Amino acid sequence: MAAVRTADLDRYLSVLYAPEEKRPALLALYAFNAEAASVRDRARQALPGEIRLQWWRDAIAKGEAQGHPLAESLLAAIREYDLPRKAFDDYLEARIFDLYDDPMPGRAELEGYCGETASALIQLACLVLGRQAAPVAADAAGHGGCAQAITGLLRSLPRDRARGQCYVPGDLLAAAGTTAEDFVASRNQPAARRAVAAMAALAAEHMGKFETRAPAIEPALRPAFLPLATTRAYLAKLGRGGFDALTASADVSALRRHWLIFRRASNGWS
């Protein structure tokens, strides 16, 4: 709980609206996500990062925690709710991209990355909350995860650019009149801002598709989608006049995040 609260406040708040008996499994999923997402920051170099991700793949495949407390909690959740191990394998495979400075080739590759990470996490949470209803929400999870992940990447632009990393797809960069190399090197800032605006529009497009499907989500599954309650607020901050996403991280106050999640927990997206 402490790890998720520190690393991912939105997901932590969402867990508070889940049934008490489901919370340990959800927290294990979200703590695992926070752990995997931060491997580059802790490993510093790609090879140790890949070794760390492989350790998780082996632990999940074999069902052996090797005394690791988080792995023990995650494996307990996998066993209790019969979560598909392939989803975790695909997730960890996608996270290898984080360890290198390779440019994101195109929109399709970006959406695939988001689907294997954020969207998959929503779908796994749905399986914990209500296995029978989960398949019906798969499309909403796909679009919602893309909206959430792309918005998160926009919020982390200053950090990623500082370490030479570019998640903005190559086709969006080309349409804006720049390249990944120029983007991370802070050359041609007007073109870089056009690329950021295009990526924000892509996030908003997926958010809109999620919102058209959200009213049909079973109330039992709602906690899995509550982290999306803040996405529109982040996108509004990114699009605010005078705000420069290239140099500042778009944030929303903790109080507003509490309120937005509470409102969706109470009323859904109807």
Side-chain angles (χ1 to χ4, degrees), residues 13-240:
L13 292 174
S14 74
V15 173
L16 302 181
Y17 295 96
E20 188 171 356
E21 68 275 11
K22 307 282 189 178
R23 293 176 192 172
L26 293 174
L27 287 168
L29 283 175
Y30 298 156
F32 162 74
N33 176 65
E35 169 87 4
S38 65
V39 165
R40 173 161 179 158
D41 294 325
R42 290 180 289 107
R44 303 289 181 181
Q45 295 181 348
L47 183 57
E50 285 213 45
I51 291 171
R52 188 61 184 165
L53 293 176
Q54 186 60 47
W55 183 92
W56 277 102
R57 296 173 82 169
D58 293 341
I60 292 169
K62 298 175 183 177
E64 298 175 358
Q66 301 178 40
H68 192 292
L70 173 54
E72 289 176 356
S73 298
L74 182 65
L75 289 172
I78 291 172
R79 288 190 295 267
E80 182 175 359
Y81 295 98
D82 193 24
L83 301 179
R85 283 175 166 78
K86 186 179 186 305
F88 292 95
D89 193 61
D90 292 343
Y91 172 99
L92 290 163
E93 178 68 24
R95 283 291 180 193
I96 293 175
F97 184 86
D98 299 343
L99 305 177
Y100 295 88
D101 296 335
D102 298 334
M104 184 67 71
R107 170 176 170 165
E109 288 79 8
L110 173 64
E111 290 170 332
Y113 169 87
C114 296
E116 300 292 2
T117 54
S119 298
L121 202 63
I122 295 173
Q123 291 176 304
L124 289 166
C126 285
L127 289 172
V128 169
L129 292 163
R131 191 171 195 86
Q132 298 303 315
V136 181
D139 200 29
H143 288 295
C146 281
Q148 182 186 32
I150 294 170
T151 302
L153 292 173
L154 287 167
R155 294 177 65 214
S156 66
L157 273 176
R159 180 203 67 187
D160 293 340
R161 291 174 77 226
R163 64 189 186 190
Q165 202 168 18
C166 181
Y167 285 91
V168 181
D171 48 5
L172 295 189
L173 290 168
T178 188
T179 64
E181 292 78 9
D182 286 348
F183 187 84
V184 298
S186 298
R187 293 190 291 265
N188 196 351
Q189 295 292 77
R193 292 189 178 94
R194 290 194 295 271
V196 169
M199 193 162 171
L202 179 59
E205 177 186 332
H206 279 289
M207 191 64 186
K209 291 178 179 179
F210 161 73
E211 288 167 339
T212 63
R213 293 157 174 79
I217 295 170
E218 291 285 339
L221 302 183
R222 192 177 296 165
F225 294 90
L226 288 180
L228 281 158
T230 57
T231 300
R232 284 288 184 191
Y234 294 134
L235 289 173
K237 182 70 175 286
L238 287 161
R240 187 175 299 170

